Amino acid sequence: MDKGDQAEILEEGLNAQERNDLIPASGLPIEEMEQFAVIGKGSAQYTSAHKCLTQAVYYEAANEPLAGKRAVAQVVINRLRHPAYPNSICGVVYEGVNDPVCQFSFTCDGSLLRKPLAVQWAQSGKVAEEALAGAVEPLVGSATHYHADYVLPRWAFTLAKIDKVGMHMFYRFPGDAGGEPAFTRRWNGRENVPYLSEARLRQMLSGRYVEKVVKPEYTPGLTVTPHVTDRHAPSDVGGRIDMTKSWRLSIPDPVSGQGAYDTARSVQGEASQAADSVSEDEGATS
Protein backbone atom coordinates (compact mmCIF):
# COMPACT_ATOMS: atom_id res chain seq x y z
CA MET A 1 0.00 0.00 0.00
CA ASP A 2 1.18 3.51 -0.77
CA LYS A 3 2.93 5.28 2.07
CA GLY A 4 0.79 8.31 1.33
CA ASP A 5 -2.31 6.25 2.02
CA GLN A 6 -1.51 6.39 5.73
CA ALA A 7 -3.16 9.83 5.78
CA GLU A 8 -6.22 8.41 4.03
CA ILE A 9 -7.00 5.57 6.43
CA LEU A 10 -10.67 5.51 7.41
CA GLU A 11 -10.53 2.58 9.82
CA GLU A 12 -7.97 0.29 11.43
CA GLY A 13 -8.10 -3.00 13.31
CA LEU A 14 -11.29 -5.02 13.72
CA ASN A 15 -13.51 -2.20 12.49
CA ALA A 16 -11.54 -2.10 9.25
CA GLN A 17 -11.79 -5.86 8.80
CA GLU A 18 -15.55 -5.75 9.29
CA ARG A 19 -16.02 -2.87 6.86
CA ASN A 20 -13.69 -4.45 4.30
CA ASP A 21 -15.81 -7.59 4.37
CA LEU A 22 -18.91 -5.48 3.71
CA ILE A 23 -17.47 -4.03 0.49
CA PRO A 24 -18.92 -6.28 -2.22
CA ALA A 25 -16.83 -7.77 -4.98
CA SER A 26 -17.33 -5.86 -8.21
CA GLY A 27 -18.63 -8.86 -10.10
CA LEU A 28 -16.36 -7.99 -13.02
CA PRO A 29 -14.68 -10.97 -14.65
CA ILE A 30 -11.27 -11.95 -13.25
CA GLU A 31 -9.31 -12.04 -16.48
CA GLU A 32 -6.23 -14.16 -17.08
CA MET A 33 -3.24 -11.94 -17.69
CA GLU A 34 -0.53 -12.35 -20.30
CA GLN A 35 2.62 -14.14 -19.21
CA PHE A 36 5.68 -12.00 -18.52
CA ALA A 37 8.88 -13.76 -19.53
CA VAL A 38 10.92 -11.25 -21.48
CA ILE A 39 14.01 -10.59 -19.34
CA GLY A 40 16.87 -12.92 -20.16
CA LYS A 41 17.83 -14.94 -17.11
CA GLY A 42 21.47 -14.44 -16.19
CA SER A 43 21.60 -10.89 -17.55
CA ALA A 44 22.33 -7.85 -15.41
CA GLN A 45 18.78 -6.63 -16.08
CA TYR A 46 17.38 -9.92 -14.78
CA THR A 47 19.49 -9.73 -11.62
CA SER A 48 18.13 -6.28 -10.80
CA ALA A 49 14.55 -7.17 -11.70
CA HIS A 50 14.69 -10.33 -9.60
CA LYS A 51 16.07 -8.40 -6.62
CA CYS A 52 13.38 -5.69 -6.83
CA LEU A 53 10.56 -8.20 -7.22
CA THR A 54 11.90 -10.38 -4.40
CA GLN A 55 12.00 -7.34 -2.14
CA ALA A 56 8.40 -6.46 -3.00
CA VAL A 57 7.17 -9.99 -2.31
CA TYR A 58 9.17 -10.31 0.90
CA TYR A 59 8.47 -6.94 2.52
CA GLU A 60 4.82 -6.90 1.45
CA ALA A 61 3.90 -10.56 1.94
CA ALA A 62 6.65 -12.47 3.76
CA ASN A 63 4.19 -14.20 6.09
CA GLU A 64 1.41 -14.62 3.55
CA PRO A 65 0.53 -17.99 2.02
CA LEU A 66 2.07 -18.87 -1.33
CA ALA A 67 -0.94 -17.52 -3.23
CA GLY A 68 -0.62 -14.23 -1.34
CA LYS A 69 3.03 -13.90 -2.33
CA ARG A 70 2.23 -14.68 -5.95
CA ALA A 71 -0.60 -12.15 -5.91
CA VAL A 72 1.77 -9.34 -4.86
CA ALA A 73 4.19 -10.31 -7.64
CA GLN A 74 1.28 -10.26 -10.09
CA VAL A 75 0.34 -6.72 -9.06
CA VAL A 76 3.90 -5.53 -9.76
CA ILE A 77 3.88 -7.09 -13.22
CA ASN A 78 0.38 -5.79 -13.93
CA ARG A 79 1.52 -2.28 -13.10
CA LEU A 80 4.53 -2.64 -15.39
CA ARG A 81 2.17 -3.40 -18.27
CA HIS A 82 -0.37 -0.66 -17.47
CA PRO A 83 0.09 2.85 -18.96
CA ALA A 84 -0.42 4.46 -15.55
CA TYR A 85 2.86 3.13 -14.15
CA PRO A 86 6.58 2.81 -14.97
CA ASN A 87 7.35 -0.02 -17.40
CA SER A 88 10.09 -1.84 -15.52
CA ILE A 89 10.03 -4.06 -12.44
CA CYS A 90 12.30 -1.81 -10.38
CA GLY A 91 10.55 1.28 -11.71
CA VAL A 92 7.23 0.01 -10.37
CA VAL A 93 8.60 -1.14 -7.02
CA TYR A 94 10.59 2.02 -6.34
CA GLU A 95 8.17 4.55 -7.83
CA GLY A 96 8.23 7.71 -5.73
CA VAL A 97 10.99 6.43 -3.44
CA ASN A 98 12.64 9.86 -3.21
CA ASP A 99 9.35 11.75 -3.10
CA PRO A 100 7.17 12.46 -0.05
CA VAL A 101 4.87 9.63 -1.15
CA CYS A 102 6.21 6.27 -2.35
CA GLN A 103 4.12 3.53 -3.94
CA PHE A 104 5.42 0.65 -1.80
CA SER A 105 5.98 1.80 1.76
CA PHE A 106 8.88 -0.57 2.46
CA THR A 107 11.06 1.34 -0.02
CA CYS A 108 11.00 4.53 2.03
CA ASP A 109 10.04 3.70 5.62
CA GLY A 110 13.34 2.11 6.63
CA SER A 111 12.21 -1.52 6.33
CA LEU A 112 15.05 -2.23 3.89
CA LEU A 113 17.53 -1.76 6.74
CA ARG A 114 16.14 -4.80 8.53
CA LYS A 115 17.90 -8.06 7.70
CA PRO A 116 15.49 -10.43 5.92
CA LEU A 117 14.56 -13.77 7.47
CA ALA A 118 16.31 -16.47 5.46
CA VAL A 119 13.38 -18.84 4.89
CA GLN A 120 10.87 -16.17 3.86
CA TRP A 121 13.47 -14.45 1.68
CA ALA A 122 14.16 -17.70 -0.16
CA GLN A 123 10.43 -18.28 -0.66
CA SER A 124 9.98 -14.74 -1.96
CA GLY A 125 12.91 -15.17 -4.33
CA LYS A 126 11.37 -18.35 -5.71
CA VAL A 127 8.05 -16.59 -6.31
CA ALA A 128 9.86 -13.74 -8.08
CA GLU A 129 11.78 -16.21 -10.24
CA GLU A 130 8.59 -17.98 -11.27
CA ALA A 131 6.83 -14.70 -12.05
CA LEU A 132 9.73 -13.56 -14.25
CA ALA A 133 9.53 -16.92 -16.02
CA GLY A 134 5.88 -16.36 -16.95
CA ALA A 135 3.89 -17.65 -13.97
CA VAL A 136 0.51 -15.91 -13.62
CA GLU A 137 -1.57 -15.75 -10.44
CA PRO A 138 -5.19 -16.25 -11.59
CA LEU A 139 -6.81 -15.29 -8.27
CA VAL A 140 -6.20 -11.56 -8.71
CA GLY A 141 -6.40 -11.14 -12.48
CA SER A 142 -5.74 -7.53 -13.48
CA ALA A 143 -5.30 -6.20 -9.93
CA THR A 144 -3.17 -3.07 -9.61
CA HIS A 145 -3.88 -2.24 -5.96
CA TYR A 146 -4.08 -4.02 -2.63
CA HIS A 147 -4.06 -3.29 1.07
CA ALA A 148 -3.96 -5.29 4.30
CA ASP A 149 -7.38 -6.27 5.62
CA TYR A 150 -6.75 -4.53 8.96
CA VAL A 151 -6.82 -1.07 7.35
CA LEU A 152 -9.44 0.61 5.20
CA PRO A 153 -8.06 3.27 2.86
CA ARG A 154 -10.37 5.84 1.31
CA TRP A 155 -9.46 4.75 -2.22
CA ALA A 156 -10.96 1.30 -1.63
CA PHE A 157 -14.35 2.77 -2.53
CA THR A 158 -13.10 4.19 -5.83
CA LEU A 159 -11.80 0.92 -7.29
CA ALA A 160 -13.34 -2.42 -8.21
CA LYS A 161 -12.80 -5.04 -5.53
CA ILE A 162 -11.62 -8.40 -6.83
CA ASP A 163 -11.10 -10.66 -3.85
CA LYS A 164 -9.22 -11.26 -0.63
CA VAL A 165 -6.10 -13.42 -0.77
CA GLY A 166 -4.47 -14.14 2.56
CA MET A 167 -4.65 -10.90 4.52
CA HIS A 168 -4.71 -8.60 1.49
CA MET A 169 -7.67 -7.12 -0.36
CA PHE A 170 -7.06 -6.77 -4.12
CA TYR A 171 -8.57 -4.24 -6.50
CA ARG A 172 -8.51 -3.31 -10.18
CA PHE A 173 -9.34 -0.12 -12.02
CA PRO A 174 -13.06 0.05 -12.80
CA GLY A 175 -14.33 -0.11 -16.37
CA ASP A 176 -12.15 -0.53 -19.44
CA ALA A 177 -9.09 0.91 -17.66
CA GLY A 178 -8.92 -2.22 -15.53
CA GLY A 179 -9.60 -4.80 -18.22
CA GLU A 180 -6.86 -6.99 -19.68
CA PRO A 181 -6.87 -5.14 -23.06
CA ALA A 182 -5.75 -1.96 -21.26
CA PHE A 183 -2.45 -3.56 -20.24
CA THR A 184 -0.58 -2.67 -23.40
CA ARG A 185 2.83 -1.44 -22.28
CA ARG A 186 5.98 -3.45 -22.79
CA TRP A 187 9.07 -3.74 -20.66
CA ASN A 188 11.43 -0.86 -21.42
CA GLY A 189 14.56 -3.03 -21.36
CA ARG A 190 16.18 -1.32 -18.37
CA GLU A 191 16.21 -2.24 -14.69
CA ASN A 192 17.78 0.22 -12.27
CA VAL A 193 17.66 0.29 -8.49
CA PRO A 194 17.59 3.99 -7.54
CA TYR A 195 19.95 5.60 -5.08
CA LEU A 196 18.70 5.29 -1.51
CA SER A 197 19.87 7.52 1.32
CA GLU A 198 20.77 5.27 4.25
CA ALA A 199 20.66 8.25 6.61
CA ARG A 200 17.13 9.10 5.50
CA LEU A 201 16.02 5.48 5.85
CA ARG A 202 17.44 5.31 9.37
CA GLN A 203 15.59 8.48 10.29
CA MET A 204 12.38 7.07 8.82
CA LEU A 205 12.86 3.84 10.75
CA SER A 206 13.26 5.75 14.01
CA GLY A 207 10.41 8.14 13.23
CA ARG A 208 12.70 11.17 13.28
CA TYR A 209 12.58 12.07 9.60
CA VAL A 210 10.87 15.33 8.65
CA GLU A 211 10.40 16.14 4.98
CA LYS A 212 11.99 19.49 4.16
CA VAL A 213 9.90 21.91 2.13
CA VAL A 214 12.07 23.76 -0.37
CA LYS A 215 10.61 27.07 -1.50
CA PRO A 216 11.18 28.00 -5.15
CA GLU A 217 13.70 30.78 -5.64
CA TYR A 218 13.37 33.77 -7.93
CA THR A 219 16.28 34.10 -10.36
CA PRO A 220 16.45 37.48 -12.16
CA GLY A 221 16.38 37.06 -15.91
CA LEU A 222 15.38 33.41 -15.74
CA THR A 223 12.09 33.33 -13.88
CA VAL A 224 9.04 35.57 -13.93
CA THR A 225 9.10 38.32 -11.33
CA PRO A 226 6.65 37.59 -8.50
CA HIS A 227 3.69 39.96 -8.45
CA VAL A 228 1.08 40.76 -5.83
CA THR A 229 -1.64 39.59 -8.19
CA ASP A 230 -0.14 36.10 -8.36
CA ARG A 231 -2.51 34.60 -5.86
CA HIS A 232 -2.97 30.92 -5.15
CA ALA A 233 -5.36 29.23 -2.79
CA PRO A 234 -3.63 27.42 0.10
CA SER A 235 -5.06 24.18 -1.28
CA ASP A 236 -3.65 24.75 -4.77
CA VAL A 237 -0.85 22.20 -5.10
CA GLY A 238 0.45 22.41 -8.63
CA GLY A 239 -2.96 22.59 -10.25
CA ARG A 240 -4.43 19.82 -8.09
CA ILE A 241 -6.81 20.56 -5.26
CA ASP A 242 -5.70 19.20 -1.91
CA MET A 243 -9.01 18.12 -0.41
CA THR A 244 -7.46 17.71 3.03
CA LYS A 245 -7.51 21.49 3.33
CA SER A 246 -10.64 23.55 3.85
CA TRP A 247 -11.31 24.28 0.20
CA ARG A 248 -14.87 25.08 -0.78
CA LEU A 249 -16.37 25.68 -4.20
CA SER A 250 -17.90 29.16 -4.34
CA ILE A 251 -20.43 29.96 -7.07
CA PRO A 252 -22.38 33.28 -7.00
CA ASP A 253 -26.10 32.82 -6.50
CA PRO A 254 -28.28 33.64 -9.56
CA VAL A 255 -29.85 36.77 -8.02
CA SER A 256 -26.61 38.56 -7.16
CA GLY A 257 -25.06 37.34 -10.39
CA GLN A 258 -27.91 38.77 -12.47
CA GLY A 259 -27.75 42.06 -10.56
CA ALA A 260 -24.05 42.47 -11.29
CA TYR A 261 -24.66 41.62 -14.93
CA ASP A 262 -27.47 44.20 -15.28
CA THR A 263 -25.32 46.88 -13.62
CA ALA A 264 -22.44 46.18 -15.99
CA ARG A 265 -24.75 46.39 -19.01
CA SER A 266 -26.20 49.68 -17.77
CA VAL A 267 -22.76 51.24 -17.31
CA GLN A 268 -21.61 50.02 -20.71
CA GLY A 269 -24.80 51.37 -22.31
CA GLU A 270 -24.32 54.83 -20.82
CA ALA A 271 -20.70 54.90 -21.94
CA SER A 272 -21.71 53.86 -25.46
CA GLN A 273 -24.38 56.59 -25.69
CA ALA A 274 -21.87 59.21 -24.52
CA ALA A 275 -19.37 58.09 -27.14
CA ASP A 276 -22.02 58.24 -29.88
CA SER A 277 -22.99 61.75 -28.80
CA VAL A 278 -19.38 62.93 -28.99
CA SER A 279 -19.00 61.40 -32.45
CA GLU A 280 -22.14 63.19 -33.71
CA ASP A 281 -20.93 66.55 -32.34
CA GLU A 282 -17.55 66.11 -34.00
CA GLY A 283 -19.25 65.22 -37.28
CA ALA A 284 -21.40 68.33 -37.14
CA THR A 285 -18.42 70.66 -36.68
CA SER A 286 -16.20 69.09 -39.33
Side-chain angles (χ1 to χ4, degrees):
M1 187 174 69
D2 299 2
K3 183 175 182 293
D5 291 335
Q6 303 301 325
E8 292 293 312
I9 297 298
L10 299 178
E11 293 280 5
E12 293 184 276
L14 292 177
N15 287 340
Q17 291 176 322
E18 292 173 357
R19 291 188 63 181
N20 279 319
D21 290 339
L22 291 175
I23 299 176
S26 67
L28 294 171
I30 301 178
E31 301 170 285
E32 184 174 350
M33 304 303 288
E34 179 182 334
Q35 292 183 333
F36 180 82
V38 299
I39 309 177
K41 191 172 184 179
S43 66
Q45 305 304 324
Y46 180 91
T47 300
S48 294
H50 182 263
K51 177 181 179 180
C52 290
L53 191 54
T54 299
Q55 289 175 327
V57 174
Y58 175 84
Y59 288 103
E60 296 288 307
N63 295 315
E64 290 291 287
L66 183 58
K69 291 181 174 66
R70 289 174 173 169
V72 168
Q74 187 65 51
V75 166
V76 173
I77 290 175
N78 286 349
R79 285 194 172 196
L80 179 155
R81 296 184 55 231
H82 197 281
Y85 300 98
N87 54 343
S88 70
I89 297 292
C90 293
V92 167
V93 172
Y94 281 94
E95 183 180 5
V97 66
N98 292 313
D99 299 328
V101 177
C102 52
Q103 290 296 309
F104 289 86
S105 58
F106 77 87
T107 64
C108 58
D109 66 3
S111 294
L112 288 169
L113 297 178
R114 297 190 177 102
K115 184 178 180 180
L117 299 173
V119 174
Q120 288 92 330
W121 180 261
Q123 293 171 345
S124 300
K126 181 64 174 176
V127 168
E129 180 181 0
E130 292 172 349
L132 293 175
V136 175
E137 177 47 60
L139 292 178
V140 296
S142 58
T144 49
H145 296 71
Y146 63 87
H147 64 80
D149 69 347
Y150 49 81
V151 296
L152 177 60
R154 192 179 303 275
W155 56 255
F157 297 97
T158 68
L159 299 175
K161 180 179 176 181
I162 295 177
D163 204 351
K164 179 179 179 180
V165 181
M167 293 183 65
H168 283 129
M169 319 293 292
F170 288 84
Y171 303 79
R172 53 163 276 181
F173 286 119
D176 293 341
E180 196 278 335
F183 292 75
T184 57
R185 296 193 77 186
R186 298 300 174 189
W187 178 58
N188 67 14
R190 299 181 302 277
E191 292 291 345
N192 300 303
V193 179
Y195 167 77
L196 301 175
S197 169
E198 183 176 345
R200 181 187 184 217
L201 291 177
R202 290 194 180 283
Q203 289 178 334
M204 292 295 293
L205 194 61
S206 64
R208 291 183 289 106
Y209 182 78
V210 178
E211 193 73 37
K212 294 181 179 179
V213 178
V214 180
K215 295 183 179 180
E217 296 182 355
Y218 165 63
T219 305
L222 295 179
T223 53
V224 178
T225 307
H227 193 272
V228 292
T229 59
D230 294 338
R231 299 174 181 174
H232 299 277
S235 56
D236 184 349
V237 284
R240 296 171 296 172
I241 295 299
D242 183 355
M243 299 304 291
T244 64
K245 296 183 171 60
S246 56
W247 178 84
R248 187 183 301 276
L249 178 63
S250 178
I251 301 176
D253 66 274
V255 176
S256 61
Q258 183 64 40
Y261 175 72
D262 291 340
T263 300
R265 285 194 60 186
S266 175
V267 172
Q268 290 174 353
E270 292 173 359
S272 177
Q273 291 176 1
D276 291 341
S277 176
V278 171
S279 297
E280 291 175 359
D281 292 341
E282 290 178 348
T285 57
S286 60

